[in-house]
Amino acid sequence: MSLDEMVFIKMRGDRELKGRLHAFDSHCNIILGQVQEMIYSDPDIPPTVKISPMLYVRGDAIVLVSPIK
C-alpha cells in the first residue's frame, strides 16, 4: 500500500532502515531506495549510519515495517 513512499523497518540484530519502498513480495522481501541504515552496537555510542542508493532486505530478518508520514 505504501509503494514509492518512505518506510521505517526494524530488523533483527539492532538495525533500523529508513527508505523509499520500491517492491515487496509475499515473503516480505523488500527493495528500498534512498536508504539510511542505522546500526546500534552499544547504548552509550551513537549508531553507525550508512547511506545506500538501493538495498534488498530479506523478509526473515524484518521485525516491523511502518510508513513514515
Side-chain angles (χ1 to χ4, degrees):
M1 305 295 176
S2 295
L3 281 177
D4 205 34
E5 293 184 16
M6 295 298 286
V7 293
F8 169 80
I9 299 176
K10 175 92 172 140
M11 300 182 62
R12 293 185 191 172
D14 297 324
R15 293 173 58 196
E16 295 178 352
L17 304 171
K18 292 180 185 175
R20 187 165 302 280
L21 180 63
H22 285 282
F24 65 94
D25 66 9
S26 62
H27 301 286
C28 205
N29 297 318
I30 292 178
I31 297 176
L32 294 174
Q34 304 169 359
V35 184
Q36 180 182 17
E37 178 180 7
M38 287 81 57
I39 303 170
Y40 298 90
S41 57
D42 188 351
D44 299 329
I45 300 173
T48 303
V49 178
K50 295 181 182 179
I51 307 292
S52 301
M54 191 73 67
L55 184 68
Y56 171 79
V57 183
R58 284 184 50 106
D60 61 353
I62 296 174
V63 176
L64 172 88
V65 178
S66 175
I68 298 174
K69 295 290 177 177

